[in-house]
């Protein structure tokens, strides 16, 4: 790669739009990256107008990140192939259940030598068990992948409130390049080599946050939520050590992608908020997604289902009582009132 590097952002929800705001502002002040920046937007109508048209004329994603102006160098594009054409840096930030379909669409149009970074918090189930989203992208597009995960609630990032995040990259120079693209004084980035652990943290913390939301809905208080966070972290570490093919160290769980993201999500994230509403209203998760997230998909319940299938195949369900209880409440009709049982009966050590 040489000259100014062209960028494509694939995804435009609240997190994608918050990241687009950072990238657009950073690129405007850099001689290393090219303008304009294409942002692929899943086309939909909003108040009688195409969302891409609104973004490109009003420079605001009024549906998913209202109240925040996007830099004028960010251009909404409804055609994913056009968005990636010629791009050397690909930023993936869309719900994980749509990634395979998107990669199939753009596979023959990605520039040779392009590199990518995934901000997608989820996992998938593969033939041999766990499949990371970055691995799916790498296999389908034949590009080197980094990941970015951290305690980053989109609205707070868009508000320019200070936070930290973690980039995991096996190719450190690629991680440092993405750090240069994304870092700003109030968005501080650490780069580590343990990319798989960073990515697993990003997926599993959403499951734990659903449990935190159950606590809030049931009125259990902060002591119980602290137990959910601690036991959830134990299960996250145990799961990573069982299913990561690369080295897993405790130090990575102390980065923003680990305990910081877990705490933030369990107190302020959408998974917690929807799970609390699930308890208080008795409505289904799908109904609450429509009502509270403008139809955006919640990652925690979906990830719990994928984790459950992986654990079931390996006959390890009973070793992860918190993950299992959350799955059973979301998908198998188990009473949320029984949630505390998985805490009372949780093993002291894993």
């Amino acid at each position: 790669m040489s000259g100014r590097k062209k960028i494509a952002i694939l995804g435009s929800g609240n997190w994608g739009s918050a990241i687009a705001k950072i990238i657009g502002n950073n690129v405007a002040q850099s001689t290393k990256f090219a303008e304009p920046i294409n942002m692929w937007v899943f086309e939909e109508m909003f108040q009688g107008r195409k969302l891409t048209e609104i973004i490109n004329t009003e420079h605001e994603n009024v549906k998913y990140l209202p109240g925040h102006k996007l830099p004028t160098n960010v251009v909404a594009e409804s055609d994913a192939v056009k968005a990636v054409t010629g791009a050397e840096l690909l930023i993936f930030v869309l719900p994980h259940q749509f990634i395979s379909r998107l990669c199939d669409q753009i596979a023959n149009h990605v520039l040779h030598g392009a590199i990518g970074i995934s901000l997608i918090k989820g996992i998938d189930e593969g033939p041999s068990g766990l499949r990371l989203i970055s691995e799916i992208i790498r296999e389908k597009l034949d590009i080197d992948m980094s990941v970015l995960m951290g305690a980053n609630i989109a609205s707070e990032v868009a508000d320019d409130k200070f936070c930290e995040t973690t980039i995991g990259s096996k190719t450190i120079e690629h991680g440092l390049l993405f750090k240069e693209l994304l870092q700003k004084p109030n968005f501080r980035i650490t780069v580590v080599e343990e990319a798989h652990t960073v990515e697993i943290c990003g997926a599993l913390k959403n499951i734990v946050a659903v449990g935190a939301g159950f606590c809030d809905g049931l009125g259990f208080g902060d002591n119980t939520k602290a137990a959910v966070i601690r036991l959830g972290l134990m299960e996250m570490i145990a799961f990573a050590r069982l299913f990561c093919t690369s080295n897993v160290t405790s130090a990575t769980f102390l980065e923003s992608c680990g305990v910081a993201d877990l705490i933030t999500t369990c107190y302020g994230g959408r998974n917690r908020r929807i799970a609390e509403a699930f308890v208080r209203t008795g409505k289904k998760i799908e109904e609450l997604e429509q009502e509270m997230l403008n139809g955006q998909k919640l990652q925690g319940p979906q990830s719990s289902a994928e984790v459950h299938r992986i654990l079931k195949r390996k006959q390890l369900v009973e070793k992860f009582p918190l993950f299992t209880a959350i799955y059973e409440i979301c998908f198998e009709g188990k009473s949320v009132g029984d949630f505390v049982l998985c805490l009372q009966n949780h093993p002291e050590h894993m």
Side-chain angles (χ1 to χ4, degrees):
M1 293 185 287
S2 61
R4 288 180 179 251
K5 294 170 175 39
K6 187 177 179 182
I7 300 154
I9 301 169
L10 296 153
S12 59
N14 62 343
W15 187 211
S17 297
I19 284 296
K21 183 179 178 183
I22 289 176
I23 291 173
N25 287 328
N26 282 354
V27 167
Q29 301 172 44
S30 172
T31 58
K32 184 171 284 189
F33 307 106
E35 299 176 292
I37 301 146
N38 287 340
M39 179 174 72
W40 173 65
V41 175
F42 180 78
E43 191 66 281
E44 54 187 312
M45 301 300 291
F46 184 78
Q47 297 180 348
R49 298 171 65 193
K50 290 181 178 179
L51 188 55
T52 51
E53 177 194 333
I54 297 172
I55 292 171
N56 287 333
T57 56
E58 299 177 18
H59 305 293
E60 182 181 347
N61 190 335
V62 292
K63 182 170 185 182
Y64 297 118
L65 195 68
H68 293 278
K69 290 295 182 182
L70 297 176
T72 56
N73 58 4
V74 175
V75 177
E77 173 57 68
S78 62
D79 186 327
V81 170
K82 287 183 181 178
V84 303
T85 298
E88 295 171 275
L89 304 179
L90 305 179
I91 320 293
F92 295 88
V93 54
L94 65 153
H96 76 282
Q97 55 265 45
F98 303 127
I99 193 64
S100 288
R101 190 191 321 162
L102 174 68
C103 287
D104 290 339
Q105 278 182 267
I106 65 176
N108 295 325
H109 306 276
V110 170
L111 191 69
H112 179 71
I115 62 174
I117 187 166
S118 171
L119 283 66
I120 300 169
K121 294 180 175 179
I123 55 174
D124 202 355
E125 183 190 10
S128 59
L130 177 69
R131 241 181 137 209
L132 298 173
I133 302 304
S134 66
E135 291 178 336
I136 295 172
I137 300 171
R138 184 183 294 111
E139 290 166 11
K140 286 183 173 288
L141 303 184
D142 192 26
I143 62 174
D144 186 75
M145 286 295 299
S146 302
V147 296
L148 181 148
M149 307 284 156
N152 310 138
I153 292 175
S155 60
E156 295 185 12
V157 172
D159 282 336
D160 202 28
K161 295 177 180 176
F162 179 83
C163 66
E164 299 177 311
T165 198
T166 310
I167 287 177
S169 184
K170 294 178 181 178
T171 308
I172 285 295
E173 58 264 35
H174 292 170
L176 293 173
L177 178 62
F178 283 118
K179 176 178 179 176
E180 186 175 350
L181 174 64
L182 291 161
Q183 181 163 262
K184 52 184 295 190
N186 278 352
F187 192 65
R188 189 169 70 180
I189 297 172
T190 301
V191 180
V192 301
E193 289 187 74
E194 213 171 293
H196 285 176
T197 305
V198 171
E199 187 167 6
I200 283 179
C201 284
L204 299 184
K205 59 94 183 183
N206 283 327
I207 304 175
V208 183
V210 173
F214 291 163
C215 282
D216 291 339
L218 293 163
F220 283 163
D222 286 338
N223 290 343
T224 310
K225 190 189 283 191
V228 169
I229 292 170
R230 188 187 76 82
L231 297 172
L233 182 61
M234 283 175 58
E235 293 196 12
M236 287 169 60
I237 295 170
F239 188 93
R241 287 179 171 160
L242 278 170
F243 292 100
C244 265
T245 54
S246 55
N247 188 40
V248 174
T249 63
S250 298
T252 302
F253 289 92
L254 298 177
E255 297 290 348
S256 180
C257 63
V259 67
D261 195 8
L262 180 61
I263 293 168
T264 298
T265 310
C266 286
Y267 277 93
R270 64 172 69 178
N271 287 278
R272 186 219 63 80
R273 187 160 47 94
I274 298 282
E276 180 182 8
F278 173 83
V279 178
R280 295 192 187 278
T281 67
K283 293 180 180 179
K284 294 181 178 179
I285 295 289
E286 294 81 1
E287 290 179 75
L288 295 167
E289 287 172 336
Q290 288 295 330
E291 292 177 12
M292 300 173 67
L293 299 178
N294 284 320
Q296 290 188 99
K297 289 296 180 184
L298 204 62
Q299 298 303 304
Q302 184 66 32
S303 294
S304 79
E306 285 148 359
V307 163
H308 185 76
R309 286 193 293 269
I310 293 166
L311 293 175
K312 192 172 181 180
R313 181 184 296 179
K314 301 287 187 181
Q315 297 182 323
L316 293 170
V317 168
E318 292 181 359
K319 292 187 178 294
F320 293 83
L322 182 65
F323 288 171
T324 299
I326 291 164
Y327 163 76
E328 290 175 344
I329 290 165
C330 288
F331 294 102
E332 294 192 346
K334 183 175 181 176
S335 171
V336 71
D338 292 336
F339 178 64
V340 73
L341 296 177
C342 79
L343 309 177
Q344 294 171 341
N345 301 322
H346 203 284
E348 292 182 17
H349 305 286
M350 296 191 70

